Each structure stands twice: as structure tokens, then as C-alpha cells.
């Protein structure tokens, strides 16, 4: 959904009416800190940008210069920050504190949107707490977290917390249909999207989605105990995921062409080129991680089914252990693990499942 088709930036936040209503009310009584909590892909990123635009301009107009640049993460007084390693470090926190001390350039406020604060190191939390306790009048923090982990409790007590739920498959399906996607495709994409409308839109363009799920699901019966087969299965799956990134890469090419047209018409200053390219890299990484998580969930489901048909306690134990290994791998995807090594290590540890055990 392009911004030109929207009447408001809030329209990009699908299936979160209560959170949107609360944020819209809060724009009239802003404080120094807001914590938006909800699963990845729930719309909190889009809501943070709409909220920032409203705080700065009094509206969330996607056709305005400010709204367009905020949506592209290129506006001078809205700083979006992502972790660079496995967590938000104390060094990153110090950079954020220093940025917060500087005055805004174009607006009355400077807004700092900090992503994935559930992965903030304890030392970073301590470093930021003083800034929250003694806020600068011209700075507003919008923190985004997938969940309210124990390390965030103190930070949360100094913020207004806004909860986002997982967007249901039914809502995503209805949204896709409203955008012209056939019902069968919309249904399949919505159930594989893990609550993310953005991912669902990509899957709706992806004719090989079902084949990738089948490739993951066939791993337990394709294994033969040899390392060569396990490694070949990893290579096959990664090649399928690589091919699946094509629609996203095409979307990125279109966005770059549109940016080049704007640069030609209005000049390079404030174009958001760097931010757009960095956003594209993050989107590709997230898509690959989402693909792997989705596929690993299918794989875990096969072992759960096999557990219910296992004929002895030893196999039941092996299959339960396989599910545990798969969940560990899914967790490690969020820690910037090498995809190839992660899958190879996992597949080499997985037990073989005979076809009869899935009947």
C-alpha cells in the first residue's frame, strides 16, 4: 500500500483500533516517553511514525513533506534507531543520550524512535534511565518492544505504555481481499504471515510459498542420517528463500526509482536516500528471518505429529527433543545468527521420521 493511496498515515496500521485511538488521544497531551509493545509485524512501527508526524505537524498527512519523509525515515527531527548487534549496547545508549541533548533542526520537537528495546542490554537501560528521569523539554522518545521483558519494567514506569495485539489472520485476509487479492491467495498468505500485513502482501505475490512450506515439512522424512543429505536439504531451503526475496527486491527497485524522480525534481537535500537503502537491508533481513521462522514452525509441527504416532518412549523423547532444538534455532534467528550454520547444525541433530509415523 503506497502512501499516495492513503488519506492518513494511521491507515497503514491494520487491525489495531484501540492502540490507534489511544495514540491519537495522546497527541493532545504528549509526555516525554511512550512505549509501544506488541509482536513483530503488528503495526507498531507504522503507528510510531504516524504518531511522530502528528506530534510534529498536528496531522498524519502522508502527502505532506514531513509525512512523506517520516514514512521514509528521512526527516531531520525524527531519528529511528535499530540495534547494531545482538542487543542495544551501552555505547549505543550513550549516542542516543547525546543526540537527545541536541536541539531539533526544523521543528519544535525532536523525536527518537528506538526499535527492539526488549533487546536492550542492562547497562544501556541504566544509561538511558537518567534521560527518562530528567527529560529534555524538546525531546520525545517512542520506544518499540516485542514484549515487556523484566529489564524494561523500570523504563516502562516512566513511559506511557500502549499495547498492540497480534493481528489475526482473518483481519489480514480481509485487508488483502480489499486490496484486490483473490480470496484463496489471501487466505494462504494471511495464515503464513505470523500477524504481519507487510509479510502477507509479499506472500500473496509469491507462487512458490506452498512449495517452501512443503520443503520444510519434508525434511524429517528426507533425512537419512548422513551429513551430505542434511547439508543438501539446507542448501535447497536457502535457495528457495533466496528466490522468494525477488518480489521484495522488485518493490525496493520501484521505491528507489520513485526517490530518484523526487531527487531530480527537488534536489538531494532531505531526500532520505541513505535511510531508504538501510531500511531495504533491514526489510530483506527480516523477510529471510520470517521465512525461516515460518518454515521452522512447519518443521516443529511435523515432529509434534510424529510424537502422537510414535510407538515407543525412545522415539517420543527424540521427537520432543527435536522440537526443543527447533525452538532454540528460532530464538537464535533473532540474535543475528548465521543462517547457513544455524540450519546445518539443526538438521544434523534432527531424527529421521518414517512416513508411517505421520499417518
Amino acid at each position: 500500500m503506497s502512501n499516495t493511496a492513503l488519506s492518513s498515515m494511521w491507515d497503514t496500521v491494520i487491525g489495531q483500533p484501540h492502540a490507534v485511538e489511544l495514540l491519537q488521544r495522546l497527541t493532545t497531551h504528549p509526555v516525554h516517553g511512550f512505549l509501544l509493545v506488541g509482536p513483530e509485524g503488528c503495526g507498531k512501527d507504522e503507528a510510531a511514525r504516524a504518531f511522530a508526524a502528528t506530534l510534529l505537524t498536528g496531522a498524519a498527512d502522508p502527502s505532506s513533506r514531513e509525512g512523506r519523509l517520516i514514512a521514509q525515515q528521512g526527516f531531520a527531527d525524527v531519528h529511528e534507531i535499530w540495534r547494531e548487534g545482538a542487543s542495544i549496547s551501552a555505547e549505543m545508549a550513550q549516542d542516543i543520550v547525546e543526540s537527545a541533548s541536541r536541539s531539533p533542526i526544523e521543528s519544535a520537537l525532536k523525536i527518537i524512535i528506538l526499535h527492539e528495546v526488549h533487546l536492550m542490554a542492562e547497562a544501556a537501560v541504566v544509561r538511558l534511565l537518567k534521560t527518562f528521569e530528567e527529560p529534555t523539554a524538546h525531546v520525545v522518545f517512542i520506544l518499540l518492544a516485542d514484549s515487556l521483558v523484566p529489564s524494561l519494567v523500570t523504563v516502562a514506569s516512566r513511559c506511557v505504555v500502549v499495547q498492540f495485539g497480534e493481528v489475526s489472520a482473518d483481519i489480514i485476509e480481509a485487508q488483502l481481499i480489499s486490496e484486490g487479492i483473490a480470496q484463496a491467495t489471501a487466505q494462504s498468505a494471511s495464515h503464513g504471515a505470523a500477524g504481519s500485513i507487510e509479510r502477507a502482501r509479499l506472500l500473496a505475490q509469491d507462487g512458490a510459498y506452498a512449495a517452501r512450506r512443503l520443503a520444510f515439512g519434508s525434511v524429517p522424512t528426507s533425512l537419512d542420517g548422513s551429513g551430505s543429505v542434511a547439508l543438501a536439504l539446507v542448501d535447497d531451503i536457502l535457495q528457495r528463500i533466496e528466490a522468494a526475496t525477488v518480489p521484495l527486491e522488485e518493490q525496493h527497485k520501484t521505491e528507489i526509482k520513485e526517490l530518484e524522480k523526487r531527487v531530480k525534481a527537488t534536489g538531494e537535500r532531505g531526500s532520505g536516500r541513505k535511510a531508504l537503502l538501510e531500511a531495504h537491508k533491514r526489510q530483506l533481513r527480516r523477510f529471510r528471518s520470517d521465512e525461516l521462522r515460518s518454515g521452522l514452525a512447519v518443521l516443529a509441527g511435523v515432529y509434534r505429529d510424529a510424537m502422537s504416532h510414535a510407538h515407543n518412549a525412545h522415539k517420543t523423547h527424540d521427537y520432543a527433543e527435536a522440537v526443543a532444538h527447533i525452538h532454540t534455532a528460532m530464538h537464535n534467528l533473532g540474535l543475528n545468527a548465521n543462517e547457513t550454520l544455524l540450519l546445518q547444525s539443526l538438521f544434523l541433530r534432527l531424527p529421521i521420521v518414517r512416513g508411517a509415523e505421520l499417518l
Side-chain angles (χ1 to χ4, degrees):
M1 185 186 298
S2 66
N3 284 348
T4 55
L6 302 173
S7 60
S8 170
M9 293 171 70
W10 293 109
D11 293 342
T12 62
V13 187
I14 307 300
Q16 302 288 356
H18 299 298
V20 168
E21 182 184 358
L22 176 56
L23 285 169
Q24 288 174 332
R25 290 204 309 268
L26 289 169
T27 58
T28 61
H29 298 89
V31 295
H32 69 280
F34 300 87
L35 175 59
L36 280 52
V37 181
E40 186 175 317
C42 68
K44 63 182 185 291
D45 293 36
E46 294 81 0
R49 294 175 192 126
F51 187 52
T54 307
L55 289 175
L56 291 179
T57 69
D61 181 359
S63 64
S64 69
R65 172 180 172 273
E66 294 87 351
R68 174 174 56 79
L69 289 176
I70 289 169
Q72 296 169 353
Q73 300 123 66
F75 187 62
D77 292 325
V78 178
H79 300 259
E80 293 203 38
I81 301 170
W82 284 263
R83 62 186 171 92
E84 295 174 354
S87 64
I88 298 170
S89 65
E91 290 76 13
M92 285 188 67
Q94 179 61 35
D95 291 341
I96 293 166
V97 170
E98 292 175 2
S99 175
S101 69
R102 294 190 284 270
S103 299
I105 296 172
E106 298 185 29
S107 315
L109 290 174
K110 170 184 283 188
I111 296 177
I112 296 175
I113 301 175
L114 182 55
H115 295 258
E116 298 183 305
V117 295
H118 57 285
L119 297 175
M120 188 157 50
E122 192 67 38
V125 173
V126 172
R127 187 66 193 86
L128 285 176
L129 273 178
K130 184 175 177 59
T131 302
F132 282 108
E133 290 168 346
E134 301 175 5
T136 306
H138 63 258
V139 174
V140 172
F141 284 91
I142 304 175
L143 311 180
L144 308 181
D146 288 1
S147 60
L148 190 55
V149 296
S151 61
L152 285 181
V153 170
T154 307
V155 172
S157 70
R158 291 159 174 78
C159 298
V160 175
V161 179
V162 180
Q163 293 282 351
F164 286 69
E166 181 173 306
V167 184
S168 72
D170 289 344
I171 290 176
I172 294 176
E173 180 182 345
Q175 177 65 28
L176 292 180
I177 291 172
S178 74
E179 295 173 11
I181 305 298
Q183 183 172 2
T185 301
Q187 184 178 55
S188 175
S190 64
H191 282 86
S196 170
I197 183 64
E198 180 182 342
R199 175 168 165 76
R201 290 188 181 112
L202 290 169
L203 293 179
Q205 305 173 50
D206 186 354
Y209 170 57
R212 287 199 306 281
R213 290 177 66 85
L214 182 62
F216 271 100
S218 65
V219 166
T221 55
S222 299
L223 293 168
D224 67 356
S226 69
S228 59
V229 168
L231 299 185
L233 290 170
V234 170
D235 289 343
D236 175 63
I237 282 173
L238 291 178
Q239 287 171 15
R240 291 174 185 272
I241 292 176
E242 187 67 32
T245 64
V246 171
L248 182 58
E249 290 172 339
E250 291 300 319
Q251 176 183 311
H252 289 170
K253 289 178 183 177
T254 299
E255 291 174 359
I256 290 171
K257 286 180 181 178
E258 290 175 351
L259 181 140
E260 296 297 343
K261 288 179 183 178
R262 289 196 300 272
V263 168
K264 189 174 181 180
T266 63
E268 181 72 39
R269 188 174 183 274
S271 68
R273 183 196 302 273
K274 181 179 179 182
L276 181 64
L277 294 176
E278 289 175 348
H280 287 171
K281 291 178 182 178
R282 288 191 297 273
Q283 288 166 7
L284 279 169
R285 284 198 300 270
R286 178 179 293 181
F287 179 86
R288 293 181 66 91
S289 293
D290 286 347
E291 272 297 305
L292 286 169
R293 286 193 184 93
S294 176
L296 290 173
V298 172
L299 182 58
V302 174
Y303 281 107
R304 289 194 189 95
D305 289 345
M307 285 171 61
S308 65
H309 295 91
H311 301 304
N312 60 64
H314 178 72
K315 284 194 172 184
T316 299
H317 173 270
D318 287 348
Y319 298 156
E321 196 171 59
V323 172
H325 290 323
I326 293 167
H327 282 229
T328 298
M330 293 169 74
H331 170 75
N332 288 340
L333 283 172
L335 303 177
N336 294 337
N338 180 285
E339 296 171 354
T340 302
L341 294 179
L342 182 146
L343 288 184
Q344 287 176 345
S345 175
L346 174 63
F347 284 18
L348 287 168
R349 301 172 75 179
L350 293 178
I352 302 167
V353 174
R354 302 303 178 191
E357 294 173 321
L358 299 177
L359 299 177

